């Protein structure tokens, strides 16, 4: 049995050495050189030194790799070369006598190639999981809560690998901590909430719809109610209650949770299973694997998009370039900082650009210190590109002509405060009316001007004020920051999966759910709904795949079409 260290490209055998009586083949990348040293607590001895190493590298600031053991895990310290790094190449995992090797190669600008780090983990060959879920967020926990592995063995054999020390962080944040987990109404109306991808995921949503989600939680002691135009929340209005339930029920279903395990490599095993390697040197084998790592929004919560890079590198999975969505819209020369905190119950926002289809969003609008927020702005964010025009109608559905007529009556009056009259007639905040009048006169909205009577309306134009109220136009400044975005557009291309099972077409036994996929919905609980729907379809498929005659825990497909 030989251990191979194989670099990308067309490998060329250079040298053969012996490790613990096993032949070792070192295969370099093109003409580059590699040095590897092995040792223990008692000293260091050369393991493999390729021709030319001693002559070229002795005085170049190069530190060799050392091997030492701690318990059952062997670690290899980082080999450092003080040169200009230009790339980092990940190679495949190598298996030797129950150990799993993951070389990483650093290429430098001088044309040389060095071993940057090797992760060596002892793999317990007698332990193979039925299912490993990568990601302990909403989608991953919902999958585990829907898949009963104890039907296969008394204790179950499932594992959830969570990169952070706190699973379900974004779930706790949802709905400002109240957890708006779905939207009521007909599932037929929900499809449009997912934009261009709605048609593709239609059957997933129909199969396990919003009623099924409400019923699932209700049957396990979490009743719900709806408000704010159909948003559904747990009656306790505590996201933590849902998280606690999912954690407990996942454990009951046979899933262990490991925190602080960030996956760095996935490998298809010869026996059709999978091996997962983590940054901390751990490695696990499984019959089936579910990708539930989310998108890139709020990267501090652990969803930084790194798993997409791993899948693309190791399995050639197609990933649609991600962009932040459900975020405030930043515009040039934003004027409303002095009146931050004002809001509008029904405003219309639209985005236009030459040759671009007009995108519209209607809903609550919030003025912040720096940008436009609230559901109407968050939902239009995904359509806005830097340089696009953002149009706002603060008095929707009133038309410009109707508002001009109302303002003409107000400004022609001989008595009364025009600000108060506007606020009353148009149902607007007084401070906002004051700001609009000042802007129409070309003044800053924090000016000291006070409009009290007819003598103060001189110079006010009903048409100018109406234009600001019904078609306030700004230029979009930039894409939102990932730290402000609530969701991600982009991710694993849906064409890669069979959406009847959520399984990859080219990789049997590999599944993906939730925001890791190229699916995003508007605000209102739609993204958590898709997490539930996709997780349920995945769990049902896995249950059949792992044991055809075992019932799926709590799965009740909806029949509405």
């Amino acid at each position: 049995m030989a251990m191979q260290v194989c670099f990308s490209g067309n490998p060329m055998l250079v040298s053969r050495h012996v490790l613990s009586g096993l032949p070792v083949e070192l295969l370099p990348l093109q003409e580059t050189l590699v040095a590897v040293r092995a040792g223990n607590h008692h000293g260091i001895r050369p393991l493999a030194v390729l021709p030319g190493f001693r002559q070229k590298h002795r005085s170049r600031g190069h530190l060799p790799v050392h091997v030492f053991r701690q318990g059952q895990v062997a670690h290899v310290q980082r080999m450092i070369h003080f040169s200009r790094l230009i790339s980092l190449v990940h190679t495949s995992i190598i298996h030797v006598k129950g150990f799993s090797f993951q070389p990483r190669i650093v290429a430098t600008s001088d044309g040389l190639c060095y071993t940057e780090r090797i992760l060596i983990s002892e793999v317990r060959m007698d332990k193979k999981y039925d299912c490993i879920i990568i990601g302990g967020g909403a989608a991953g926990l919902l999958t585990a809560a829907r898949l009963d592995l104890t039907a296969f063995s008394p204790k179950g054999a499932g594992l959830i690998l969570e990169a952070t020390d706190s699973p379900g962080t974004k779930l706790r944040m949802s709905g400002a901590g109240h957890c708006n987990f779905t939207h009521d109404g007909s599932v037929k109306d929900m499809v449009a909430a997912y934009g261009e991808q709605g048609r593709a995921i239609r059957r997933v949503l129909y199969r396990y719809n919003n009623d099924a989600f409400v019923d699932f939680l209700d049957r396990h002691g979490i009743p719900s109610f709806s408000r704010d135009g159909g948003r559904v929340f747990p009656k306790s209005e505590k996201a933590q209650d849902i998280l606690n339930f999912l954690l407990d029920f996942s454990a009951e279903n046979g899933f262990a949770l490991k925190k602080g395990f960030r996956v760095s490599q996935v490998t298809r095993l010869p026996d059709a299973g999978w091996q997962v390697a983590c940054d901390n040197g751990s490695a696990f084998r499984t019959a089936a694997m579910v990708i539930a790592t989310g998108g890139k929004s709020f990267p501090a919560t652990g969803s930084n998009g790194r798993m997409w890079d791993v899948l693309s590198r190791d399995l050639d999975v197609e990933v649609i370039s991600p962009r932040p969505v459900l975020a405030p819209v930043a515009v040039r020369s934003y004027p409303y900082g002095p009146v931050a905190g004002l809001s509008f119950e029904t405003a219309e926002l639209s985005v236009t650009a030459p040759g671009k289809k007009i995108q519209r969003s209607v809903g609550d609008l919030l003025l912040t210190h720096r940008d436009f927020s609230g559901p109407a702005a968050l939902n239009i964010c995904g359509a806005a590109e830097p340089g696009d025009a953002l149009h706002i109608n603060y008095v929707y559905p009133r038309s410009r002509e109707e508002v001009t007529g109302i303002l003409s009556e107000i400004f022609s009056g001989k008595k009364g405060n025009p600000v108060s009259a506007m606020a009353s007639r148009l149902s607007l905040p007084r401070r906002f009316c004051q700001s609009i009048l000042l802007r129409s006169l070309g003044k800053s909205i924090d000016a000291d001007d006070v409009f009290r009577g007819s003598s103060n309306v001189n110079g006010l134009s009903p048409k100018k004020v109406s234009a600001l109220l019904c078609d306030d136009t700004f230029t979009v400044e930039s894409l939102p920051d990932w730290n402000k975005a609530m969701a991600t557009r982009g991710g694993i291309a849906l064409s890669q999966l069979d959406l009847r099972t959520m399984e990859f077409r080219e990789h049997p036994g590999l599944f993906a759910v939730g925001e890791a996929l190229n699916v995003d919905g508007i605000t209102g609980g739609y993204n958590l709904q898709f997490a539930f729907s996709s997780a349920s379809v995945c769990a049902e498929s896995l249950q059949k795949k792992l044991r055809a005659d075992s019932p799926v825990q709590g799965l009740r497909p909806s029949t509405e079409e």
Side-chain angles (χ1 to χ4, degrees):
M1 179 180 180
M3 181 185 81
Q4 272 196 344
V5 180
C6 182
F7 307 149
S8 60
N10 296 319
M12 175 181 64
L13 181 62
V14 173
S15 171
R16 183 180 293 271
H17 298 271
V18 176
L19 172 64
S20 301
L22 298 176
V24 178
E25 297 174 348
L26 296 176
L27 307 175
L29 176 63
Q30 298 175 357
E31 301 297 327
T32 58
L33 302 178
V34 176
V36 180
R37 286 175 178 262
N40 51 41
H41 294 298
H42 306 292
I44 301 168
R45 60 179 177 80
L47 167 65
V49 180
L50 302 190
F53 175 80
R54 286 193 176 89
Q55 290 75 16
K56 286 191 174 186
H57 298 274
R58 180 170 295 177
S59 61
R60 294 177 65 114
H62 180 273
L63 301 177
V65 172
H66 299 83
V67 178
F68 60 94
R69 292 182 180 276
Q70 293 180 344
Q72 292 184 326
V73 181
H75 301 269
V76 179
Q77 292 178 330
R78 183 172 299 177
M79 177 190 286
I80 303 173
H81 189 279
F82 301 103
S83 183
R84 295 174 296 279
L85 302 183
I86 58 173
S87 65
L88 176 62
V89 180
H90 296 254
T91 66
S92 298
I93 291 180
I94 303 143
H95 311 284
V96 179
K97 278 192 173 180
F99 286 89
S100 179
F101 297 77
Q102 184 193 13
R104 295 187 180 188
I105 309 305
V106 173
T108 62
S109 58
D110 55 10
L112 301 177
C113 196
Y114 303 93
T115 301
E116 186 257 355
R117 180 173 58 171
I118 302 177
L119 300 178
I120 303 179
S121 306
E122 184 170 359
V123 180
R124 296 182 59 183
M125 305 301 286
D126 60 336
K127 175 68 172 179
K128 184 174 182 178
Y129 291 94
D130 290 325
C131 179
I132 289 180
I133 298 173
I134 304 177
L141 293 174
L142 280 165
T143 303
R146 302 287 272 165
L147 177 60
D148 184 10
L149 295 181
T150 61
F152 311 143
S153 61
K155 294 183 179 180
L159 181 62
I160 302 172
L161 297 176
E162 166 58 27
T164 70
D165 293 328
S166 181
T169 302
K170 288 176 69 175
L171 179 61
R172 290 200 308 271
M173 296 166 57
S174 64
H178 302 303
C179 196
N180 170 207
F181 65 88
T182 189
H183 210 89
D184 66 11
S186 171
V187 67
K188 295 178 182 179
D189 299 327
M190 297 186 71
V191 174
Y194 299 91
E196 295 179 357
Q197 303 298 346
R199 185 177 181 84
I201 64 170
R202 176 177 173 273
R203 289 191 178 275
V204 177
L205 296 171
Y206 271 61
R207 196 157 159 191
Y208 291 100
N209 59 24
N210 48 348
D211 290 336
F213 198 0
V214 169
D215 178 63
F216 173 66
L217 293 178
D218 185 65
R219 285 186 290 110
H220 292 93
I222 303 180
S224 59
F225 73 103
S226 63
R227 70 178 191 199
D228 302 337
R231 297 167 188 257
V232 181
F233 298 82
K235 276 194 174 180
S236 66
E237 297 190 70
K238 294 180 180 178
Q240 188 68 47
D241 288 350
I242 293 181
L243 177 58
N244 290 342
F245 157 67
L246 293 178
L247 289 169
D248 291 343
F249 207 47
S250 296
E252 289 181 23
N253 280 348
F255 281 89
L257 172 65
K258 289 185 178 292
K259 295 180 285 188
F261 283 70
R262 186 177 294 278
V263 172
S264 58
Q265 189 166 28
V266 295
T267 305
R268 184 76 176 176
L269 295 176
D271 63 354
W274 295 90
Q275 178 162 295
V276 179
C278 300
D279 277 354
N280 61 9
S282 301
F284 308 93
R285 297 188 306 147
T286 181
M289 181 165 57
V290 180
I291 308 301
T293 46
K296 291 187 67 174
S297 60
F298 294 124
T301 64
S303 58
N304 57 14
R306 174 178 165 178
M307 194 63 202
W308 290 330
D309 297 332
V310 173
L311 293 171
S312 179
R313 181 198 70 214
D314 294 348
L315 302 177
D316 198 27
V317 169
E318 181 186 357
V319 176
I320 307 301
S321 181
R323 64 163 289 168
V325 292
L326 297 190
V329 179
V331 298
R332 298 173 191 169
S333 303
Y334 178 74
Y336 294 121
V339 291
L342 297 182
S343 62
F344 308 83
E345 287 188 6
T346 307
E348 180 192 51
L349 278 67
S350 58
V351 171
T352 62
K356 184 175 181 178
K357 182 181 178 180
I358 298 176
Q359 301 290 326
R360 288 187 173 86
S361 174
V362 176
D364 294 353
L365 179 67
L366 173 66
L367 306 181
T368 75
H369 288 91
R370 298 180 179 86
D371 45 37
F372 294 104
S373 189
L378 301 181
N379 291 336
I380 202 70
C381 163
E385 299 286 347
D388 287 355
L390 175 69
H391 305 265
I392 304 177
N393 182 350
Y394 304 100
V395 292
Y396 182 84
R398 294 181 186 273
S399 67
R400 192 165 172 174
E401 291 74 16
E402 179 186 358
V403 173
T404 299
I406 293 173
L407 293 174
S408 296
E409 294 178 11
I410 293 174
F411 296 163
S412 63
K414 296 182 179 180
K415 296 182 179 180
N417 184 333
V419 172
S420 298
M422 281 179 60
S424 176
R425 294 283 300 274
L426 299 175
S427 301
L428 292 170
R430 291 187 79 262
R431 291 171 61 205
F432 180 74
C433 294
Q434 170 89 359
S435 301
I436 287 292
L437 294 181
L438 289 170
R439 285 185 62 204
S440 73
L441 296 173
K443 298 181 180 182
S444 171
I445 67 173
D446 56 359
D448 294 331
D449 300 62
V450 177
F451 298 92
R452 288 195 176 90
S454 59
S455 61
N456 299 99
V457 300
N458 293 332
L460 290 177
S461 165
K463 289 186 176 181
K464 285 185 177 181
V465 177
S466 176
L468 289 174
L469 288 173
C470 300
D471 190 20
D472 203 0
T473 305
F474 302 90
T475 300
V476 177
E477 184 174 44
S478 61
L479 291 177
D481 187 281
W482 282 111
N483 291 309
K484 293 183 177 181
M486 296 182 185
T488 302
R489 177 165 299 165
I492 299 169
L494 293 181
S495 60
Q496 303 274 286
L497 274 68
D498 180 349
L499 295 178
R500 295 171 300 180
T501 61
M502 307 311 295
E503 187 174 20
F504 280 79
R505 299 179 187 276
E506 301 297 325
H507 304 289
L510 181 64
F511 299 76
V513 296
E515 201 178 345
L517 297 169
N518 180 28
V519 175
D520 65 283
I522 61 176
T523 58
Y526 295 99
N527 289 302
L528 279 176
Q529 174 62 51
F530 178 69
F532 169 81
S533 299
S534 58
S536 298
V537 171
C538 176
E540 181 185 16
S541 176
L542 274 167
Q543 193 85 41
K544 293 178 180 178
K545 193 178 189 73
L546 295 172
R547 190 69 55 82
D549 59 350
S550 294
V552 180
Q553 179 66 267
L555 293 187
R556 295 183 181 177
S558 55
T559 58
E560 183 176 357
E561 283 289 344

